[in-house]
Amino acid sequence: MRRARRTTLLAAPALLLALAATACGQDDAPKQQAAEVRTDPQLLAKCATLPAEAESVHWTYRALGVQNSRVPGPTDHALDGIARLSADEAARLRGTATWTPAPADHRPPAELAALLDHPVDTWLSTPALDDRSSSGAPHFLLAPDGGTLYFWAVNPHCAS
């Protein structure tokens, strides 16, 4: 009898944890929304200044993680974009600094990568365009052919 009671007492916390995990199943978890790809350069200019004049821009602004009203506090946001440069603007930008292969830690999100003319395996970076002293400042990578500029920022300072 004592052994049965001890087994029951030891099994109770495990059973409660299993029930709690089942009650908080993934069906109730909020889903990550796909980001809307925007093309308005004037709206983008409120959040980031590009180092070259772009023929076209495609960009997204999204909440990082899954927004959940049950969690207090601010939500971080990410700005990602690609800008198509004219041949003259690309040449001018390439001539402004020394460009070296960038680490593979930043790549355009799927929505933007799908808009590239061809996959870019190695992007180029330059410290001349990175303002590491300013939080929310955009970072820039250039495609080796020079025609595409990828930019991103976490919590950019967007003017109203």
Side-chain angles (χ1 to χ4, degrees):
M1 180 81 167
R2 274 190 158 160
R3 182 172 267 165
R5 180 180 278 159
R6 183 182 301 165
T7 303
T8 303
L9 289 174
L10 292 175
L15 181 60
L16 287 174
L17 285 173
L19 287 173
T22 303
C24 297
Q26 288 185 333
D27 292 339
D28 295 338
K31 305 290 186 232
Q32 177 76 31
Q33 297 278 336
E36 173 190 357
V37 177
R38 302 172 185 194
T39 58
D40 183 355
Q42 288 81 23
L43 189 55
L44 173 63
K46 292 181 178 184
C47 295
T49 301
L50 301 180
E53 187 174 328
E55 290 182 337
S56 67
V57 292
H58 291 83
W59 56 281
T60 61
Y61 185 78
R62 73 174 108 219
L64 292 174
V66 178
Q67 288 186 319
N68 186 339
S69 62
R70 296 175 287 184
V71 178
T75 299
D76 289 332
H77 288 84
L79 170 72
D80 287 279
I82 54 173
R84 300 215 192 275
L85 309 177
S86 69
D88 291 342
E89 273 298 290
R92 185 194 64 74
L93 186 59
R94 274 193 311 269
T96 62
T98 301
W99 295 83
T100 58
D105 60 345
H106 278 93
R107 297 286 179 252
E111 299 93 352
L112 298 175
L115 299 173
L116 295 172
D117 295 333
H118 52 81
V120 177
D121 294 327
T122 303
W123 292 86
L124 303 174
S125 69
T126 181
L129 293 181
D130 272 344
D131 181 4
R132 301 250 182 229
S133 65
S134 174
S135 106
H139 303 276
F140 302 97
L141 297 178
L142 186 64
D145 65 7
T148 304
L149 184 69
Y150 167 52
F151 56 94
W152 78 93
V154 176
N155 293 329
H157 304 290
C158 299
S160 299

